[in-house]
Amino acid sequence: MGSPLLKPIETWLKLSLFPPVGAAVIRALGRSMRIETRGHEQVDALYKKGKNIILAFWHAQQLMIPFGYRGPCAHVLISQHQDGEIIARIIATFGHRAVRGSSTRGGAVALRELIRLARSGEDVVVTPDGPKGPAHVAKMGVIQLARASGLPIVPLAFGCSKKNTSRVGIDSLCRSHGRMACFFGGLRSKCLASSTKRRWKRNAWSWKRS
């Protein structure tokens, strides 16, 4: 569909068909695996006290939030690109909401909205490496958000395995009837990008099927 006349039709098809199909694939993936969560005790304790968090995980794992998020409703930072709109519609089927913006477009407005939501008692979700990368390198936006809101940053990573192998959930797929683990890192009110990167990778790679 390269013709400009067909572009609106192509866009309509993407935004109408991709989100429900994507949501169905995610649900099917979840049903095909036995899902575990690890390191979630501190997060659960915060929720019991009526507090909220900043959840952070790498960009490539964005669609895995339905498997790991433990709160009632998340406000997820998603880019204003058309692909971002598809993702926003997919997460909406799971009860989450999108805040649109990125480092290249609408970032300042999105950051202010995230701060407002965080201060009002809502959970906010960010991908510290962002859609433009470099992958697995956290930018300062998540630190600014934590400082302005006073909320702890909770790192989250996903890993999956089949038989005796271990696969990190970034850009990899689990076969049916495999196992997936969600890893929550320690709570951070302040953190360094380099140390956070090492911690997430170490936690993800250390998980193996017993």
Side-chain angles (χ1 to χ4, degrees), residues 102-178:
S102 66
S103 59
T104 57
R105 184 179 178 186
V109 174
L111 179 59
R112 287 195 294 269
E113 177 63 8
L114 289 173
I115 293 171
R116 184 191 69 80
L117 289 166
R119 288 176 174 174
S120 66
E122 302 288 344
D123 286 345
V124 294
V125 180
V126 296
T127 52
D129 52 349
K132 297 294 184 180
H136 307 167
V137 177
K139 298 181 175 66
M140 285 300 298
V142 66
I143 308 299
Q144 294 170 348
L145 177 58
R147 287 174 176 171
S149 65
L151 295 185
I153 301 170
V154 178
L156 174 63
F158 301 89
C160 56
S161 75
K162 179 68 175 179
K163 296 182 180 179
N164 293 322
T165 62
S166 177
R167 298 170 183 262
V168 174
I170 298 174
D171 292 337
S172 65
L173 297 176
C174 296
R175 298 178 182 178
S176 297
H177 309 299

Side-chain angles (χ1 to χ4, degrees), residues 5 16 28 37 54 67 89-90 102 107 111 130 148 183:
L5 296 177
S16 298
T37 59
I54 299 170
F67 299 134
R89 296 189 182 197
I90 290 175
S102 66
L111 179 59
F183 303 93

Side-chain angles (χ1 to χ4, degrees), residues 2-173:
S3 171
L5 296 177
L6 297 178
K7 192 67 175 179
I9 299 176
E10 180 182 4
T11 300
W12 179 84
L13 287 173
K14 284 183 178 181
L15 298 181
S16 298
L17 297 181
F18 285 11
V21 171
V25 169
I26 292 172
R27 289 190 171 94
L29 181 62
R31 288 193 295 268
S32 73
M33 294 181 295
R34 184 154 59 92
I35 300 173
E36 301 176 11
T37 59
R38 300 190 180 187
H40 57 82
E41 293 80 9
Q42 294 184 72
V43 179
D44 292 345
L46 285 176
Y47 285 139
K48 288 180 180 179
K49 295 177 181 179
K51 298 182 179 181
N52 54 306
I53 64 172
I54 299 170
L55 191 66
F57 49 84
W58 300 132
H59 183 75
Q61 298 188 340
Q62 196 171 52
L63 292 182
M64 296 294 101
I65 185 175
F67 299 134
Y69 178 63
R70 301 177 70 81
C73 176
H75 296 261
V76 187
L77 180 63
I78 298 175
S79 73
Q80 295 181 355
H81 191 270
Q82 185 181 107
D83 291 345
E85 178 62 24
I86 295 172
I87 295 173
R89 296 189 182 197
I90 290 175
I91 66 168
T93 66
F94 293 93
H96 306 306
R97 300 173 184 174
V99 175
R100 306 301 300 277
S102 66
S103 59
T104 57
R105 184 179 178 186
V109 174
L111 179 59
R112 287 195 294 269
E113 177 63 8
L114 289 173
I115 293 171
R116 184 191 69 80
L117 289 166
R119 288 176 174 174
S120 66
E122 302 288 344
D123 286 345
V124 294
V125 180
V126 296
T127 52
D129 52 349
K132 297 294 184 180
H136 307 167
V137 177
K139 298 181 175 66
M140 285 300 298
V142 66
I143 308 299
Q144 294 170 348
L145 177 58
R147 287 174 176 171
S149 65
L151 295 185
I153 301 170
V154 178
L156 174 63
F158 301 89
C160 56
S161 75
K162 179 68 175 179
K163 296 182 180 179
N164 293 322
T165 62
S166 177
R167 298 170 183 262
V168 174
I170 298 174
D171 292 337
S172 65
L173 297 176

